[in-house]
């Protein structure tokens, strides 16, 4: 985090220690202005009109990265990534013709009609008319970042993939997404999140296209159009947007009970993450790894965020959808800009590649099943660090094209029927979305290793292929390109025996739809269970048709009697009896998000300052928190600067722009709240209380809490006598994410 005053703990004590006041004033005044993420451009504009005589070349913002400069066929060009950007200070057409005027079309007289001759008008408008491309059919809403993956080498005995050898550093681009909403939908809706990673390895591109939930709604890809049609908005009115709280979704999942496990995850806190930085990722399917000796193992991929797995509360998620629909993409970009780089450890659960492809009775080809971590621990194999924001959203985040068939030697697929259909779907959809077959030549999709395919021509071909014999075998191009044959360098599908009649059938083990939903339910803490009950109650209450609500209650009855009783009570409906005996399952504590302490990097803390606050204290607290890796936003009655005590404090949020939902915690400085307090402050405090967020303060802060009806002994609320004492209780509270003790549970 840039800027630091954490090495000056004595600073925060100033107001109560007049002897050190002069020294402290001088120190705080000498600190650089606090950088708050969100800066729009690399240079600060003047308030006047820019003058061409002062033109300077554009510079990227320090937090931005761009795809490596490689040719369409993967050769390093040696040019800086920025060389693809526009150049020169003069406005030109797309082919470099300098332009004198872009404000007036060419007309027959100043009041006359525009002339067809106006090539500049036509080019400008025509290009604009075609600026949009189809959004993704699912996962349309996303945000991305550049980064690196450093391998520990611990998977080298499992896979011969070169990027998994010890200490190999591989560039990556990650795209996080929601599933259901359109490109412009809100970030914080209740939904599964995509977690897709493109590794630019020296053996070609490897894509790990996962989600933040380890299971899926369907067992066979042929059902994907059905689940997506059911979950997307109703086709007549096109509502509701980006959510499952409507009749067609519940109609489908209540009839298609293999969805139950994913539905449980989707109704849990996992579906409303606090941040992309605080989400797990899962490859979902079982993959097959092959080592240098040809030995195989079955694995499931996991991404574990170093900041822990944390969620919003439902009311907060709903409020954010209005207050800041870009909450997650802003959080990702801001934290990278602030240097709080998101990190995730990649791990694998390793299972023997047995003939029946089951492990401890769990069918590894069934994507509605997990392998509990207690049965197969996640073994760490490398670290992903996101270090750069995209330079251009469209060129990178929108045009990136993931594909499960982007594999490298040492990583292979299994017969999971969902995975098999995905192998077809991504390539197919991208032909339309990206306008032709050459989308892998887009800068963000280019391999960073040699490409020598025999694919030729097509729309938007940007490679200039040499030779005349793009076929095999040939002699005219000297036989190029040669396949690796048995040299060992190429991709080899692990030879697997296949038997059986040609049938449209699933294995009998796929019929178990309720044991793992029950395992998930029983593994949650009381607070998490309550959230799940609340989510089911909310969503089913949004179902117009009572028979659908009834049907879904019958499904829940097969999961757990307590769960169905509580949801039914909320709906004001009788709880149906179970059709099957509840399964005997062992809970998996690893599935709960609660119960540990986590780093507080990049947490957003509001610092309330007012006319009565000591600005010395306020400045010192802000410096200390930012220095400790958090983002501390000063909130004051109006915007601008606060001046006094020899320091100037920039206000980041006025009471007109600040809302509790953008904060993880609030600090109330002594003298911040007037008497009586501004009603907006009371709203802020009551929301923070309801959402179980930490509130700390010093001095008269207690008066505001009393006025807002906060019980003096509320968990996660600490008032100290002195500013110097607040950092420790704040950090302690933030490390647990929320004071869940404040949340009532029915468990
Ligand atoms: C385990 C199950 C699945 C997971 C984890 C998953 C994950 C994802 C993710 C993360 C994306 C967004 C990629 C991006 O950021 O560009 C995506 C897009 C997509 N997925 Fe899936 N998906 C799953 C199942 C399926 C199935 C079964 C199909 C079809 C048979 C499918 C078809 C698509 C399509 C068409 C896109 C849009 C791709 C594009 O336009 O580039 N997905 N999926």
């Amino acid at each position: 985090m840039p800027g630091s005053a954490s090495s000056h703990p004595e600073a925060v004590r100033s107001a109560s220690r007049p002897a050190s006041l002069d020294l402290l004033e001088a120190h705080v005044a000498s600190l650089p202005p606090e950088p708050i993420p969100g800066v729009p451009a690399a240079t600060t504009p003047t308030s006047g009109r820019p003058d061409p005589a002062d033109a300077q070349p554009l510079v990227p913002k320090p937090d931005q990265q761009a795809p490596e400069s490689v040719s369409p066929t993967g050769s390093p060009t040696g040019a800086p990534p920025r060389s693809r950007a526009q150049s020169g200070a003069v406005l030109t057409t797309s082919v470099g013709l300098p332009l004198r005027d872009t404000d007036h079309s060419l007309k027959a007289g100043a009041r006359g009609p525009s002339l067809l001759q106006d090539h500049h008008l036509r080019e400008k408008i025509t290009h604009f008319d075609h600026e949009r491309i189809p959004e993704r059919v699912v996962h349309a809403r996303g945000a991305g970042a550049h980064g690196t993956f450093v391998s520990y080498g611990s998977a080298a005995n499992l896979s011969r993939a070169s990027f998994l050898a010890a200490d190999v550093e591989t560039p990556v681009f990650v795209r996080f997404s929601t599933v259901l909403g359109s490109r412009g939908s809100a970030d914080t809706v209740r939904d599964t999140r995509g977690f897709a990673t493109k590794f630019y390895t020296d053996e070609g591109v490897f894509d790990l296209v996962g989600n933040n939930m380890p299971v899926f709604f369907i067992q066979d890809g042929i059902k994907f159009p059905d689940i997506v049609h059911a979950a997307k908005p109703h086709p007549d009115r096109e509502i509701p947007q980006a959510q499952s709280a409507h009749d067609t979704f519940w109609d489908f999942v209540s009839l298609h009970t293999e969805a139950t496990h994913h539905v449980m995850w989707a109704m849990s806190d996992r579906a409303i993450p606090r941040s992309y930085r605080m989400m797990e990722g899962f490859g979902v399917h079982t993959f097959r790894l092959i080592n240098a000796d040809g030995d195989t193992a079955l694995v499931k991929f996991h991404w574990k965020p170093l900041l822990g797995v944390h969620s919003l509360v439902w009311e907060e998620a709903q409020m954010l959808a209005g207050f800041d629909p870009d909450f997650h993409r802003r959080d990702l970009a801001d934290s990278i800009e602030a240097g709080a780089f998101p990190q995730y450890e990649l791990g694998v659960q390793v299972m023997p590649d047995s003939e029946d492809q089951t492990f401890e009775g769990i069918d590894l080809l069934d994507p509605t099943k997990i392998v509990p971590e207690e049965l197969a621990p996640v073994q760490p194999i490398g670290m992903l660090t996101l270090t750069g924001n995209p330079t251009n959203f469209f060129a990178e985040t929108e045009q990136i094209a993931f594909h499960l068939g982007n594999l490298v030697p040492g990583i292979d697929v299994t017969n999971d029927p969902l995975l098999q259909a995905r192998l077809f779907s991504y390539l197919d959809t991208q032909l339309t979305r990206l306008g032709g077959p050459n989308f892998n030549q887009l800068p963000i999709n280019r391999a960073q290793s040699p490409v020598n395919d025999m694919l030729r021509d097509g729309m938007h071909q940007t490679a200039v292929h040499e030779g005349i014999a793009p076929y095999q075998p040939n002699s005219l191009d000297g036989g190029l390109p040669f396949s690796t044959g048995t040299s060992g360098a190429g991709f080899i599908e692990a030879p697997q025996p296949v038997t059986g009649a040609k049938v449209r059938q699933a294995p009998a083990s796929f019929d178990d739809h309720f044991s793992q939903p029950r395992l998930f339910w029983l593994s949650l803490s009381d607070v998490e269970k309550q959230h799940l009950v609340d989510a089911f109650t909310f969503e089913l209450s949004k179902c117009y048709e009572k028979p659908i609500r009834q049907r879904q209650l019958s499904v829940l009855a097969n999961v757990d009697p307590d769960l169905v009783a509580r949801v039914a009570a909320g709906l004001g409906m009788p709880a149906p009896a179970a059709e099957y005996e509840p399964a005997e399952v062992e809970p998996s504590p690893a599935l709960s998000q609660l119960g540990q302490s986590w780093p507080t990097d990049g947490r957003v803390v509001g610092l309330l300052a007012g006319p009565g606050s000591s600005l010395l204290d306020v400045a010192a607290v802000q410096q200390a928190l930012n220095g400790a890796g958090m983002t501390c936003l000063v909130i004051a009655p109006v915007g601008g600067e606060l001046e006094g005590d020899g320091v100037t404090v920039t206000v980041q949020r006025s009471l007109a722009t600040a809302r509790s939902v953008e904060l993880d915690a609030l600090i109330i400085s002594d003298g911040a709240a007037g008497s009586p307090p501004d009603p907006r402050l009371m709203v802020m405090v009551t929301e923070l209380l309801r959402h179980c967020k930490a509130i700390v303060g010093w001095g008269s802060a207690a008066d505001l809490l009393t006025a807002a009806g906060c019980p003096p002994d509320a968990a996660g609320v600490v008032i100290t006598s002195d500013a110097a004492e607040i950092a420790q209780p704040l950090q302690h509270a933030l490390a647990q994410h929320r004071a869940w003790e404040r949340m009532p549970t029915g468990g």
Side-chain angles (χ1 to χ4, degrees):
M1 189 86 178
S4 169
S6 55
S7 53
H8 307 286
E10 75 280 14
V12 279
R13 237 171 237 285
S14 62
S16 55
R17 288 190 300 169
S20 58
L21 198 61
D22 289 349
L23 207 62
L24 183 66
E25 255 179 34
H27 164 67
V28 175
S30 72
L31 290 171
E34 200 42 54
I36 297 291
V39 62
T43 48
T44 309
T46 59
S47 53
R49 211 173 254 281
D51 182 344
D54 302 332
Q56 297 292 329
L58 274 182
V59 285
K61 289 198 287 169
D63 59 290
Q64 292 176 334
Q65 288 175 24
E68 267 312 306
S69 281
V70 284
S71 74
T73 50
S75 304
T77 64
R82 294 192 54 238
S83 61
R84 279 185 300 259
Q86 316 241 317
S87 55
V90 170
L91 176 72
T92 71
T93 63
S94 64
V95 288
L97 174 70
L99 290 168
R100 193 178 60 85
D101 178 346
T102 191
D103 298 337
H104 304 92
S105 50
L106 192 66
K107 297 194 257 326
R111 300 165 66 84
S114 300
L115 299 180
L116 184 61
Q117 181 197 333
D118 191 346
H119 55 92
H120 172 44
L121 166 75
R122 287 209 322 272
E123 181 190 68
K124 188 172 175 181
I125 300 292
T126 306
H127 195 280
F128 169 77
D129 290 345
H130 297 272
E131 275 178 9
R132 292 289 170 272
I133 61 171
E135 64 176 33
R136 288 168 177 82
V137 60
V138 283
H139 295 262
R141 170 84 183 166
H146 295 272
T148 51
F149 175 77
V150 179
S151 170
Y152 300 156
S154 47
N157 60 334
L158 294 168
S159 170
R160 49 172 285 228
S162 62
F163 84 101
L164 293 177
D167 302 325
V168 175
E169 199 173 315
T170 303
V172 300
F173 190 87
V174 176
R175 183 175 181 271
F176 301 107
S177 49
T178 55
V179 180
L180 294 177
S182 295
R183 233 190 103 178
S185 58
D187 278 345
T188 57
V189 294
R190 177 174 294 285
D191 198 357
T192 305
R193 299 298 187 284
F195 189 142
T197 309
K198 193 177 277 296
F199 298 78
Y200 304 90
T201 88
D202 60 5
E203 296 175 307
V205 167
F206 169 57
D207 287 346
L208 183 52
V209 196
N211 280 342
N212 76 329
M213 298 179 190
V215 288
F216 206 65
F217 289 109
I218 51 174
Q219 293 167 322
D220 187 319
I222 199 169
K223 296 299 292 173
F224 193 66
D226 300 87
I227 174 64
V228 175
H229 289 170
K232 285 272 187 180
H234 290 205
D236 51 354
R237 303 179 181 196
E238 219 198 21
I239 52 176
Q241 177 63 225
Q243 56 191 291
S244 49
H246 57 102
D247 283 71
T248 55
F249 176 79
W250 290 100
D251 184 33
F252 176 79
V253 298
S254 60
L255 292 167
H256 186 76
T257 51
E258 73 194 40
T260 308
H261 195 187
H262 194 164
V263 168
M264 294 287 287
W265 280 78
M267 293 304 113
S268 80
D269 290 346
R270 303 279 180 148
I272 42 171
R274 156 66 181 83
S275 158
Y276 289 137
R277 299 177 288 133
M278 301 168 201
M279 257 176 22
E280 267 176 305
F282 301 91
V284 181
H285 313 284
T286 302
F287 288 81
R288 178 173 280 110
L289 298 187
I290 308 150
N291 69 14
D293 299 327
D295 303 328
T296 60
L298 298 178
V299 298
K300 283 185 178 285
F301 288 105
H302 293 243
W303 290 112
K304 300 266 183 198
L306 263 53
L307 297 181
V309 185
H310 303 297
S311 297
L312 302 168
V313 297
W314 179 227
E315 185 188 48
E316 190 188 5
Q318 292 178 87
M319 290 166 66
L320 275 167
F323 171 71
D324 186 5
D326 307 305
F327 184 69
H328 283 148
R329 58 168 63 169
R330 188 189 310 283
D331 171 275
L332 179 68
D334 277 359
S335 57
I336 291 173
E337 184 185 333
F341 295 147
Q343 288 193 298
Y344 311 79
E345 194 163 57
L346 182 64
V348 281
Q349 288 181 292
V350 185
M351 283 79 59
D353 194 355
S354 58
E355 205 179 324
D356 61 0
Q357 294 164 2
T358 60
F359 179 74
E360 302 274 347
I362 300 162
D363 193 330
L364 297 175
L365 299 190
D366 179 352
T368 67
K369 304 286 192 309
I370 60 159
V371 175
E373 291 185 29
E374 292 75 13
L375 296 182
V378 177
Q379 303 176 20
I381 65 172
M383 181 70 79
L384 164 69
T385 308
L386 297 180
T387 51
N389 285 313
T391 301
N392 183 279
F393 184 93
F394 182 84
E396 300 166 70
T397 312
E398 195 61 14
Q399 293 202 122
I400 196 162
F402 294 97
H403 172 33
L404 273 89
N406 287 344
L407 295 160
V408 287
I411 304 181
D412 200 1
V413 297
T414 58
N415 293 347
D416 171 342
L418 187 70
L419 170 52
Q420 294 281 321
R422 293 181 76 195
L423 284 168
F424 170 76
S425 182
Y426 290 73
L427 196 58
D428 179 50
T429 193
Q430 285 149 7
L431 288 173
T432 303
R433 183 169 75 81
L434 297 167
N438 288 315
F439 52 81
N440 278 332
Q441 294 181 9
L442 291 165
I444 193 68
N445 295 325
R446 287 180 188 180
Q448 296 180 24
S449 58
V451 173
N452 200 348
D453 57 30
M454 291 188 294
L455 312 174
R456 288 295 180 273
D457 309 343
M459 295 275 227
H460 318 301
Q461 176 61 254
T462 54
V464 182
H465 293 108
E466 296 181 336
I468 59 165
Y471 53 81
Q472 273 294 346
N474 77 70
S475 63
L476 287 170
D477 280 352
L480 290 169
F482 293 99
S483 55
T484 61
T486 52
S487 72
F491 179 80
I492 300 173
E493 284 84 5
Q496 289 292 309
V498 180
T499 55
K502 193 163 65 177
V503 288
R504 290 190 186 274
Q505 256 180 22
S509 66
F510 280 35
D511 290 344
D512 168 14
H513 299 170
F514 299 118
S515 64
Q516 287 220 341
R518 180 168 173 72
L519 184 156
F520 181 68
W521 166 254
L522 294 178
S523 304
L524 300 182
S525 64
D526 285 347
V527 173
E528 291 166 305
K529 279 183 175 160
Q530 185 61 48
H531 291 172
L532 199 80
V533 168
D534 292 344
F536 270 115
T537 311
F538 176 93
E539 295 253 329
L540 290 172
S541 301
K542 292 276 188 174
C543 265
Y544 186 93
E545 294 293 354
K546 194 172 171 193
I548 295 177
R549 279 179 261 148
Q550 266 164 343
R551 200 194 295 145
Q552 183 59 32
L553 286 177
S554 303
V555 174
L556 295 185
N558 291 327
V559 176
D560 186 85
D562 179 35
L563 169 64
V564 71
R566 288 160 68 180
V567 177
L571 295 175
M573 294 170 67
E579 210 182 327
Y580 309 101
E581 273 295 299
E584 291 278 329
V585 288
E586 195 62 38
S588 165
L591 295 177
S592 171
Q593 297 177 217
L594 309 190
Q596 293 181 50
S597 287
W598 304 96
T600 58
D601 305 42
R603 290 289 185 158
V604 181
V605 181
L607 171 53
L608 212 55
S613 306
S614 152
L615 294 189
L616 222 42
D617 281 352
V618 168
V621 168
Q622 187 184 34
Q623 292 280 346
L625 295 191
N626 286 346
M630 289 168 256
T631 294
C632 181
L633 305 173
V634 172
I635 305 170
V638 295
E641 266 94 38
L642 302 172
E643 294 192 4
D645 302 337
V647 289
T648 302
V649 172
T650 304
V651 176
Q652 277 86 37
R653 300 286 186 274
S654 71
L655 286 187
T657 57
R659 287 307 302 263
S660 71
V661 285
E662 95 175 298
L663 309 174
D664 287 300
L666 181 70
I667 305 173
I668 307 167
S669 66
D670 181 36
S675 180
D678 188 305
R680 290 169 293 185
L681 284 180
M682 310 275 277
V683 171
M684 183 179 286
V685 168
T686 48
E687 285 171 358
L688 282 150
L689 280 171
R690 217 167 44 239
H691 301 156
C692 303
K693 294 175 180 175
I695 306 179
V696 300
W698 69 95
S700 66
D703 300 342
L704 174 58
L705 294 179
T706 310
C710 173
D713 57 349
V717 177
V718 178
I719 301 298
T720 65
S721 54
D722 180 311
E725 288 157 15
I726 60 132
Q728 196 275 334
L730 174 78
Q731 201 127 21
H732 176 76
L734 275 179
Q736 345 242 314
H737 181 53
R738 297 287 165 92
W740 293 119
E741 305 93 307
R742 293 213 294 263
M743 187 150 282
T745 63

